[in-house]
Structure formats: structure tokens, C-alpha cells
């Protein structure tokens, strides 16, 4: 994960999304108690992870998530581990320089009428 601050003081975070939030899985499997967490980890590592890894190794695209001040504002899909790493570096360099797309940096316009 890459965290940077732009010239306006806005904090940006750019990362690959590998798994969905574990808290949602914990709720689905009986809460965050020890047994629920054990079930989640067993399913994730033993059941799903090998297929997920092989699929990405064979060319499934990586989801790059762009967050501004902790709020997800955009996502991009990039095929390949190295290409996704380069794209993350490009996005963070653009945010650091203050040249990230205007649609991402400007707050939504409000209509005074």
C-alpha cells in the first residue's frame, strides 16, 4: 500500500485489493470470536486462496483502489503484478505532484439553486 499527501494536504492511499474486508466475513461466520475467525481463515487459506492465486498468476486483473482521506474515490483494473505496481507508483507520483485527475481531486460541485 502506498500512502502519500498532495500539496493541498489531502492524504491519498493506493493499493491492490486482494481480499474483501475480513470483518464482513467474520459477521457472516458467527462474529469475531475465536471459532468464527478460525473458520474464516480455514476457508480463505485452504479453500479459496489457491484458486485466487492461480487465477491471478494466469492473468486475472488486479483491482487497484484509490482512496482520498480514507474514502474510496476510484478503482482501476490492471493485468499483471508488475504492471499494477507501476500503475500504483504512477498514481502516487501524480498525487504527490498535485496532478492527479481533477475529477478525483475536486470535491463534487453543489448546485446553489
Amino acid at each position: 500500500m502506498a500512502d502519500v499527501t498532495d500539496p493541498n494536504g489531502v492524504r491519498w492511499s493506493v493499493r491492490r485489493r486482494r481480499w474483501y474486508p475480513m470483518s464482513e466475513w467474520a459477521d457472516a461466520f458467527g462474529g469475531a470470536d475465536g471459532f468464527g475467525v478460525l473458520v474464516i481463515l480455514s476457508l480463505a487459506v485452504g479453500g479459496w486462496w489457491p484458486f485466487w492465486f492461480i487465477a491471478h498468476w494466469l492473468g486475472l486483473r488486479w483491482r487497484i483502489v484509490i482512496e482520498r482521506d480514507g474514502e474510496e474515490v476510484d478503482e482501476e483494473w490492471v493485468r499483471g503484478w508488475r504492471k499494477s505496481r507501476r500503475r500504483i507508483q504512477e498514481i502516487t507520483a501524480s498525487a504527490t505532484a498535485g496532478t492527479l485527475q481533477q475529477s478525483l481531486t475536486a470535491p463534487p460541485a453543489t448546485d446553489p439553486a
Side-chain angles (χ1 to χ4, degrees):
M1 176 172 20
D3 290 325
V4 296
T5 304
D6 71 10
N8 299 322
V10 177
R11 186 172 173 87
W12 293 88
S13 174
V14 185
R15 62 184 169 81
R16 289 180 199 92
R17 168 147 301 155
R18 298 180 185 162
W19 296 94
Y20 289 95
M22 293 298 280
S23 61
E24 292 176 11
W25 287 22
D27 293 341
F29 290 100
D33 62 351
F35 180 72
V37 172
L38 181 61
V39 169
I40 292 167
L41 290 176
S42 297
L43 288 174
V45 174
W48 178 247
W49 185 83
F51 297 107
W52 173 87
F53 179 77
I54 291 169
H56 280 86
W57 186 70
L58 291 173
L60 187 68
R61 297 178 301 161
W62 290 93
R63 179 179 173 198
I64 297 175
V65 177
I66 304 168
E67 295 179 351
R68 178 181 59 217
D69 288 332
E71 181 180 333
E72 187 174 321
V73 293
D74 199 11
E75 66 181 36
E76 294 183 14
W77 294 86
V78 179
R79 190 175 311 275
W81 179 264
R82 289 187 197 121
K83 287 181 183 178
S84 65
R85 181 177 27 179
R86 280 194 302 268
R87 184 60 186 139
I88 289 171
Q89 291 171 346
E90 291 169 0
I91 293 168
T92 55
S94 179
T96 302
T99 59
L100 196 57
Q101 293 179 3
Q102 189 63 24
S103 63
L104 295 177
T105 58
T110 57
D111 187 12

